[in-house]
Amino acid sequence: MHSSTAEPRSVQKVCRILSELTNPGPHRLSNIVANTRLNKATVLRLLESLIEDGFVLRDAQDKTYSLGNEALAMAAVIADRSPFPQCAHPSVLRLAEVSGDSACLCILCGGDAVCIDREEGAYPLRANYVHVGRRLPLGVGSAGLVLLAWLPQDAIDRMMERNSEALVRFSRLSAERIRKDARAARARGYALTTNIVCEGTGGIAVPILDTDGRPVAALGVTAVAKRLVARQDMLARLLHEEAVHIGTSLRQRPAMAAARRPNTVGTADDRGVSPRKMAAPVQP
């Protein structure tokens, strides 16, 4: 956990470096040091260990770092075990086609919202500040705001404290404004933000919740700010409809998996996946 009051432990430092490498590159040593807020010598030492163990690659020619084959192997295991990305992708495609704008799926990852899927619409002017792998602190952008808003109040307080340093980068945001916007998003059933991450653009997002009502992902659309605001009611309706489709697909997935693998011992839950915990978002 990132903390503004205590020195992070070694494992937390490693996690910061790996998390930074999930962002779009290139990743040079100076960038990694600045973005992780770690000592240069510490970053170098940990990078060498991660390279030795296969989690990080170093390009000797341009002196940049990237995730290595061990990270790729972990991603492959997650993709095989989790039905979520596959169930959600058709909805992302439909949203991009119907809206004409960029549709994206973001997951809750520590204190951040991380984009794991994105499709472009046909409208020529696009909001390109969200890419696969892009992470923004909870409370920033529509996906980050919606993932924060549906957390219990004590979890919101912890996340706000955790991200206090990261939020300084966004001059138009304050802790008070984020809390106010989160309450408003929860009340209307979706989050709408404009001119926060990139001037003239914005996003709208709805949560995908587990059966306990906690957010696990955000389904959203990004677009030119004026175009987004003018169509927010229509976009919110589309987003809620697709979120329901995702929830339905996830509830059907265990039976589909069992039919494909009749000799497999164990259930999806035994493999660390609980599709039945997913649910459609709260309606406005």
Side-chain angles (χ1 to χ4, degrees), residues 2 39 60 80 92 136 155 171 177 204 207 214 222-223 231 270:
H2 296 197
N39 178 273
D80 181 64
V92 176
L136 290 169
S171 59
R177 174 175 175 179
I204 182 171
R214 294 180 68 96
T222 60
R231 303 180 305 144
D270 296 329

Side-chain angles (χ1 to χ4, degrees), residues 247-257 275:
T248 300
S249 297
L250 286 166
R251 287 190 292 273
Q252 294 173 344
R253 188 64 179 241
M256 294 166 57

Side-chain angles (χ1 to χ4, degrees), residues 129-143:
Y129 64 88
V130 177
H131 307 277
V132 171
R134 176 72 188 272
R135 61 176 63 229
L136 290 169
L138 292 189
V140 177
S142 57

Side-chain angles (χ1 to χ4, degrees), residues 167-187:
L167 292 172
V168 172
R169 305 198 311 266
F170 303 93
S171 59
R172 296 188 178 186
L173 292 177
S174 64
E176 180 181 1
R177 174 175 175 179
I178 290 173
R179 290 179 183 275
K180 179 181 177 181
D181 289 348
R183 290 192 296 270
R186 184 71 178 259

Side-chain angles (χ1 to χ4, degrees), residues 108 150-152 154-155 158 208-217:
L108 179 61
W150 266 261
L151 289 173
D154 60 338
R158 289 195 302 271
I208 297 174
L209 310 173
D210 64 21
T211 53
D212 296 323
R214 294 180 68 96
V216 293

Side-chain angles (χ1 to χ4, degrees), residues 101-102 125-127 129 200-203 221-228 231 235:
D101 298 305
S102 300
L125 298 179
R126 298 172 179 172
Y129 64 88
T201 66
V221 169
T222 60
V224 175
K226 291 182 179 180
R227 173 176 165 84
L228 184 76
R231 303 180 305 144
L235 291 172

Side-chain angles (χ1 to χ4, degrees), residues 22-121:
T22 65
N23 278 317
H27 298 285
R28 294 182 171 81
L29 178 62
S30 58
N31 304 125
I32 298 173
V33 169
N35 293 335
T36 60
R37 306 186 300 280
L38 296 174
N39 178 273
K40 181 178 179 180
T42 298
V43 171
L44 272 172
R45 174 175 56 82
L46 293 176
L47 281 171
E48 289 301 319
S49 295
L50 289 166
I51 290 170
E52 182 178 349
D53 288 334
F55 285 92
V56 171
L57 296 174
R58 183 177 185 270
D59 188 315
Q61 184 172 356
D62 61 10
K63 298 181 180 180
T64 60
Y65 298 87
S66 61
L67 292 173
N69 288 342
E70 285 291 345
L72 180 62
M74 293 172 68
V77 171
I78 293 171
D80 181 64
R81 292 182 177 180
S82 173
F84 183 64
Q86 296 92 332
C87 288
H89 185 65
S91 289
V92 176
L93 282 171
R94 281 192 296 268
L95 281 168
E97 181 179 1
V98 175
S99 71
D101 298 305
S102 300
C104 58
L105 179 73
C106 298
I107 58 172
L108 179 61
C109 192
D112 299 326
V114 182
C115 178
I116 63 168
D117 194 5
R118 181 172 182 267
E119 291 289 343
E120 297 283 4

